[in-house]
């Protein structure tokens, strides 16, 4: 990223911490390079396959991010202080303490803002209290903080993705999910997981048979918004033809912790069948290749899988 760091401030964040008055922190070329590497890693994540659109659901948080990006010193510091308090308010005894670093950048054409929660990765290598107080400079301890590319809890304004306000780092771990929530950000579900989530809702509302029919039809449809995909499904799955049914599915998907707005219909999906200690995994290809029948002669059930090749059996 051919950008320069304009302003930096940071504060210690931990459960029940009380941040002091925010101030513009000194920064040198070493710290600038470290912070810009983190920003570049976030930009790289935005362009990767696991990136998902993220939008502000709290207008005040959006205003704070915009002040970080465009504000003067006073506006920048007030925004950083407000976001610091929001993050501390969501932290619990199980969330690791760290430094919340707010950065204003400019690449000569446009401004940007980054919010990074950095943690000490080497025990006792840096004292967060002395960093917070200014007795120790962050540039002196960057080698023991989260390395660029490894940071989970980071956000970057703006995001070039269509329909997205902000880039948020990978928050796949449950421990990291409080970060976007605290900053008033909602992250969409990943496209592949979105298809699974939609099928789960259809199953809950309409039962197994409708879910199986939808699952088998999905790979033959075009990707799109939830509404688009459900409309396509309704042409081949009669139970989804009523608008009220499709609206209920859409409503439940939108209410998830990670809302589903878009569905990738060709995402690789696998059906898992479990019974009596046996697990069978069958890729979903658009054709129903599995049938389950009651064995009227020997009792129990028979699982029948249709394949094109002679099965190979081996012990592993």
């Amino acid at each position: 990223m051919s950008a320069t760091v304009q302003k930096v401030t940071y504060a210690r964040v931990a459960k029940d911490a009380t941040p002091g008055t925010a101030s513009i922190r000194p920064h040198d070329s070493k710290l600038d390079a470290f912070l810009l590497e983190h920003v570049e890693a976030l930009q790289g994540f935005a362009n990767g396959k696991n990136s998902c659109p993220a939008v502000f659901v709290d207008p005040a948080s959006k205003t704070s991010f915009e002040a970080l990006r465009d504000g003067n010193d006073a506006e920048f510091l007030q925004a950083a202080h407000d976001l610091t308090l929001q993050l501390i308010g969501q932290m619990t005894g199980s969330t690791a303490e760290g430094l919340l670093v707010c950065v204003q950048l400019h690449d000569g054409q446009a401004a940007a803002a980054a919010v990074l929660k950095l943690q000490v990765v080497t025990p006792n290598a840096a004292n967060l209290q002395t960093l917070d107080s200014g007795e120790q400079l962050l540039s002196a301890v960057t080698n023991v903080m989260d390395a660029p590319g490894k940071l989970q809890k980071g956000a970057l304004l703006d995001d070039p993705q269509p329909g997205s306000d902000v880039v948020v780092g990978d928050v796949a771990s449950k421990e990291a999910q409080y970060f976007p929530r605290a900053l008033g950000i909602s992250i969409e579900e990943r496209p592949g997981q979105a298809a699974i989530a939609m099928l789960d809702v259809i199953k809950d509302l309409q039962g197994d048979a409708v879910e199986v029919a939808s699952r088998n039809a999905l790979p033959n449809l075009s990707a799109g918004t939830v509404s688009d995909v459900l409309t396509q499904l309704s042409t081949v799955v009669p139970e989804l033809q009523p608008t009220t049914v499709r609206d209920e599915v859409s409503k439940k998907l939108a209410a998830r912790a990670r809302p589903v707005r878009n569905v990738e219909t060709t995402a690789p999906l696998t059906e898992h069948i479990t019974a009596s200690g046996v697990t069978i995994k069958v890729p979903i290809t658009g054709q129903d290749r599995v049938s389950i029948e009651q064995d009227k002669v020997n009792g129990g059930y028979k699982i029948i899988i249709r394949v094109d090749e002679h099965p190979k059996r081996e012990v592993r």
Side-chain angles (χ1 to χ4, degrees):
M1 180 181 186
S2 57
T4 57
V5 174
Q6 304 293 304
K7 300 181 179 70
V8 179
T9 189
Y10 47 82
R12 173 178 168 267
V13 288
K15 182 179 182 293
D16 297 329
T18 304
T21 302
S23 61
I24 301 294
R25 302 285 188 161
H27 57 98
D28 56 18
S29 59
K30 179 181 177 182
L31 179 57
D32 288 359
F34 175 73
L35 295 174
L36 288 172
E37 283 190 71
H38 274 297
V39 170
E40 288 173 354
L42 283 171
Q43 289 177 319
F45 181 75
N47 297 324
K49 64 180 181 179
N50 288 326
S51 178
C52 301
V55 297
F56 288 108
V57 292
D58 173 28
S61 295
K62 183 178 182 180
T63 299
S64 292
F65 268 82
E66 291 171 342
L68 289 182
R69 182 191 61 195
D70 304 319
N72 57 30
D73 286 1
E75 293 165 338
F76 172 82
L77 292 173
Q78 183 61 56
H81 183 72
D82 291 344
L83 292 173
T84 299
L85 290 176
Q86 288 177 216
L87 189 67
I88 289 172
Q90 290 289 326
M91 297 180 73
T92 66
S94 63
T95 50
E97 67 174 341
L99 285 182
L100 189 68
V101 183
C102 297
V103 188
Q104 186 181 98
L105 312 109
H106 206 285
D107 65 2
Q109 294 183 328
V115 177
L116 314 169
K117 188 202 169 195
L118 299 177
Q119 293 170 202
V120 177
V121 295
T122 303
N124 305 317
N127 187 312
L128 292 175
Q129 280 83 2
T130 59
L131 285 169
D132 191 30
S133 68
E135 298 172 54
Q136 189 175 28
L137 297 180
L138 180 56
S139 59
V141 294
T142 55
N143 61 316
V144 297
M145 308 298 284
D146 285 306
K150 302 295 185 182
L151 182 71
Q152 286 189 322
K153 294 172 278 295
L156 176 66
L157 189 72
D158 293 300
D159 186 355
Q161 293 184 90
S164 182
D165 295 332
V166 58
V167 178
V168 181
D170 187 359
V171 290
S173 71
K174 290 184 179 180
E175 189 276 332
Q177 290 174 9
Y178 77 93
F179 180 81
R181 183 172 63 249
L183 301 184
I185 298 170
S186 172
I187 307 174
E188 286 188 24
E189 187 57 90
R190 288 183 174 86
Q193 289 297 316
I196 295 173
M198 186 178 71
L199 292 171
D200 285 344
V201 171
I202 289 173
K203 182 177 181 178
D204 289 343
L205 294 176
Q206 294 292 311
D208 290 349
V210 178
E211 186 270 338
V212 170
S214 301
R215 169 207 315 166
N216 292 326
L218 204 59
N220 303 314
L221 307 179
S222 298
T225 65
V226 168
S227 177
D228 291 340
V229 173
L230 286 173
T231 298
Q232 293 178 74
L233 275 175
S234 71
T235 65
V236 290
V237 182
E239 291 83 355
L240 297 179
Q241 289 178 358
T243 303
T244 53
V245 173
R246 300 199 303 274
D247 287 348
E248 184 66 16
V249 174
S250 297
K251 181 179 177 181
K252 286 186 175 295
L253 290 173
R256 287 167 49 89
R258 291 189 66 156
V260 175
R261 297 185 180 92
N262 296 282
V263 178
E264 176 53 67
T265 54
T266 58
L269 303 178
T270 303
E271 180 182 12
H272 291 226
I273 304 169
T274 57
S276 302
V278 175
T279 299
I280 301 171
K281 300 179 182 180
V282 184
I284 296 173
T285 62
Q287 297 179 342
D288 190 2
R289 301 188 295 168
V290 180
S291 61
I292 300 174
E293 302 174 359
Q294 190 169 9
D295 189 337
K296 297 180 180 180
V297 177
N298 300 308
Y301 294 87
K302 296 186 292 184
I303 301 172
I304 302 172
I305 304 173
R306 288 170 292 281
V307 294
D308 299 327
E309 302 172 352
H310 189 281
K312 179 181 179 180
R313 303 173 68 177
E314 59 182 341
V315 178
R316 295 186 180 182

